[in-house]
Amino acid sequence: MKEKKIALITGATSGIGEACARRFAKGGYDLILTGRNEERLMAVRKSAETEGAEVLSLLYDVRDREACIEAVSSLKGKWQQVDVLVNNAGLALGLEKEYLGDMDEWETMIDTNIKGLLTMTRLVVPGMVERNHGHVINIGSVAGDAAYANGNVYCATKAAVKAVTDGLRIDLADTAVRVTNIKPGLVETNFSVTRFRGDKGKADKVYEGIQPLVGDDIADVVFYAASAPEHVQIAEVLVLATHQASGSVIHRS
């Protein structure tokens, strides 16, 4: 019997990460799931296990480089053979003009969205190169294509994700390791609640008058990219709600 493939998904405790965990479990993968919320991590783990996946859960914050190193170094046996790395952990904080922004929140976004992604890539990809097999899927954003009002630093972090992803793809062109950037638009998850620091009323207004995407929509695209034939590299996918044309153009009924 062929050994199942392994997907490592960061930020797997909610939203797109949780949806990816479900989709890859249904798709026949075993999973390494990471997150900061132990209760949610265990719940997602149990859900994936009901789909027949064997799951290893790792509780840590991707902003903590030493914790990342310790977590990846702890992988033994088959768990070292990561086939797909989904760099999903990320967040937006605040929606203020740049000159009025919270510098601590800027640092959190930069440390999570850029540096955490880089750390996980640095720790996992050398093994893929050694095996000449693997796939890195980074969750970017339409916000990385062009800045929108009051999005400033968050948009900058997602522009960095695009540049880092493109650079990695170039660096791996002489290998069979594939690299993909998935760029969602409006996705109704806990994202806006986090951005507005727990104010659900403000978060709900983001999705008023339009049917947004949901986490499962993005997870389907991520899984499709991972499932393409080995000679096919889906470099970049922009995924928008039907009535969203760009990061700043949205038709609301």
Side-chain angles (χ1 to χ4, degrees), residues 10-11 34-36 59-69 87 89-91 93 103-120 123:
T10 67
T34 87
R36 297 177 299 159
L59 185 68
Y60 68 95
D61 189 332
V62 296
R63 291 181 297 168
D64 186 337
R65 182 188 296 175
E66 292 306 315
C68 292
I69 293 171
N87 277 316
L91 77 167
L93 291 170
M103 289 186 279
D104 288 336
E105 291 183 341
W106 293 352
E107 191 167 317
T108 297
M109 286 187 282
I110 291 167
D111 286 351
T112 306
N113 301 358
I114 305 173
K115 292 165 71 175
L117 180 150
L118 283 169
T119 298
M120 291 304 299
L123 293 172

Side-chain angles (χ1 to χ4, degrees), residues 168-185:
L168 180 64
R169 191 181 307 109
I170 293 166
D171 290 341
L172 291 170
D174 61 342
T175 77
V177 180
R178 301 181 292 179
V179 184
T180 300
N181 183 18
I182 306 292
K183 305 185 302 183

Side-chain angles (χ1 to χ4, degrees), residues 92-98 109 143 147-157 195:
L93 291 170
L95 201 62
E96 291 81 31
K97 294 181 184 297
E98 186 173 326
M109 286 187 282
Y148 54 73
N150 301 327
N152 45 79
V153 175
Y154 173 70
C155 294
T157 66
R195 165 168 259 173

Side-chain angles (χ1 to χ4, degrees), residues 21-67:
R22 288 196 303 268
R23 185 65 187 87
F24 276 84
K26 289 178 181 177
Y29 279 71
D30 286 335
L31 304 175
I32 302 169
L33 305 179
T34 87
R36 297 177 299 159
N37 184 316
E38 185 172 14
E39 183 178 350
R40 286 296 309 148
L41 191 59
M42 291 304 103
V44 176
R45 174 177 179 164
K46 288 179 181 177
S47 176
E49 287 174 339
T50 64
E51 299 290 345
E54 187 177 352
V55 182
L56 183 66
S57 54
L58 300 173
L59 185 68
Y60 68 95
D61 189 332
V62 296
R63 291 181 297 168
D64 186 337
R65 182 188 296 175
E66 292 306 315

Side-chain angles (χ1 to χ4, degrees), residues 85 87 116-126 136 138 164 168:
L85 168 63
N87 277 316
L117 180 150
L118 283 169
T119 298
M120 291 304 299
T121 300
R122 177 64 182 84
L123 293 172
V124 174
V125 171
V136 179
N138 292 332
V164 166
L168 180 64

